[in-house]
Amino acid sequence: MIEAMADTLDSSSSAPQIPDPTSFVPVTAADVERRRLKLWLGITAVALIVGLAVWFIYRRTTDPVLARQAFDAGARLIKNNRYEQAILNFDRAIELQSDFSDAYLLRARAKVATYRSDTAIPDFNFVIAARPSDAGPLTERAFTYLDLKQWDKTIEDTSKAIALNPKLARAYNARGTAYRMKGDLSSSLADFGQAVRFDPSLDNYFQRASTYQLLSRHKEAIADFDEAIVIAPDQPHLFFARAKSKMAIGDGASAKQDIQIGRRMDGW
């Protein structure tokens, strides 16, 4: 009976299950190191993203303030005719805020003032692109082209400016000068007429008078020189110019008087 029970126990009990050694892969030190590296890289990436976000927010907050400070300093320097230093400040303002159109505009003016008109054109281009409905920058670029003796570009810019603002005397003045340089005296006279109409200033009267002289319309030239002399009675060139037209119409005595006045002013 005991043997029967032993047989029963042997058959009902089972041996412990031993894992198949071929299905078990031990964790090595290299595996642990790789996991640590991945974890470190993940943490570093998150830290970099957060850091960049903080830096970007900081720059967005502080750069416009610093750009404005540099711009204001440049504007003060321009008022004191310190153009080179002003340009450096505008460079800084643009570096901090690349879309700062006022900085481009004042930098362009400073470049023109230092006889670097060709380098001012790209700055004017930026401002004009940023302010397509503003006739002012177009007119300033037109005068810069005038300085560079690029008559057609002057006429193109001033025509666009006048389309935006039909009462812009400075644009008529620049275009009238460009037409005169191209030999189109009738168009020049028409533009100077508009310039005088909207701004009866010394230069506009003088430019129209000079155009009348070229057309041999001396009585009209004298009338404009008269107006110019009322505005600026201490300018000798106005008296010399008027004397030329007086001579042309045979008024020699009055012409000599103008010449004498002009000479006295010049210290002859």
Side-chain angles (χ1 to χ4, degrees):
M1 183 174 179
I2 293 172
E3 292 180 53
M5 289 176 65
D7 292 338
T8 303
L9 287 171
D10 289 341
S11 62
S12 62
S13 63
S14 59
Q17 298 296 314
I18 300 174
D20 182 0
T22 61
S23 65
F24 177 71
V25 179
V27 176
T28 66
D31 292 327
V32 172
E33 187 61 27
R34 276 194 292 270
R35 290 174 185 176
R36 286 179 181 174
L37 180 60
K38 288 180 180 179
L39 179 61
W40 182 83
L41 288 174
I43 294 171
T44 302
V46 171
L48 283 173
I49 292 169
V50 172
L52 286 171
V54 171
W55 176 83
F56 180 75
I57 293 169
Y58 173 79
R59 288 290 301 271
R60 287 290 296 270
T61 303
T62 59
D63 282 4
V65 174
L66 296 175
R68 171 55 65 175
Q69 291 174 352
F71 172 82
D72 290 342
R76 288 192 296 270
L77 289 164
I78 277 189
K79 289 181 180 179
N80 293 321
N81 300 324
R82 296 167 64 183
Y83 300 111
E84 295 293 350
Q85 292 152 300
I87 289 170
L88 293 176
N89 277 274
F90 296 135
D91 289 344
R92 177 61 176 160
I94 291 167
E95 179 185 345
L96 291 165
Q97 188 176 340
S98 61
D99 61 347
F100 201 161
S101 62
D102 284 343
Y104 283 96
L105 181 59
L106 290 195
R107 187 171 71 176
R109 291 174 182 172
K111 289 177 178 179
V112 171
T114 52
Y115 306 101
R116 288 180 283 174
S117 296
D118 55 335
T119 65
I121 294 297
D123 283 349
F124 282 126
N125 293 346
F126 182 92
V127 180
I128 290 166
R131 307 178 189 177
S133 60
D134 188 350
L138 273 167
T139 305
E140 292 198 53
R141 188 174 70 179
F143 273 103
T144 307
Y145 280 135
L146 195 63
D147 185 53
L148 294 169
K149 297 180 172 56
Q150 297 186 28
W151 318 128
D152 289 333
K153 288 186 177 181
T154 301
I155 292 168
E156 181 182 355
D157 272 2
T158 47
S159 296
K160 291 177 181 177
I162 290 166
L164 291 169
N165 182 0
K167 296 183 179 181
L168 191 56
R170 291 186 72 241
Y172 287 109
N173 182 297
R175 191 171 70 176
T177 303
Y179 276 134
R180 189 170 63 201
M181 297 305 297
K182 285 172 62 70
D184 187 351
L185 296 181
S186 60
S187 294
S188 175
L189 184 62
D191 274 347
F192 285 125
Q194 291 293 81
V196 169
R197 176 187 174 193
F198 296 119
D199 179 21
S201 66
L202 169 62
D203 187 58
N204 287 335
Y205 272 120
F206 179 79
Q207 296 298 341
R208 187 172 70 174
S210 299
T211 308
Y212 277 135
Q213 279 188 330
L214 291 172
L215 289 165
S216 298
R217 294 168 60 173
H218 293 288
K219 289 184 178 180
E220 292 156 300
I222 291 168
D224 273 359
F225 285 131
D226 290 344
E227 295 292 341
I229 288 169
V230 169
I231 296 170
D234 59 344
Q235 298 296 310
H237 73 281
L238 298 177
F239 290 93
F240 292 134
R242 187 171 67 177
K244 181 179 178 181
S245 284
K246 287 181 177 180
M247 283 287 193
I249 63 172
D251 189 358
S254 183
K256 288 179 182 179
Q257 289 179 353
D258 277 352
I259 291 171
Q260 289 172 353
I261 294 170
R263 285 177 174 175
R264 283 198 299 270
M265 289 181 180
D266 267 347
W268 289 23

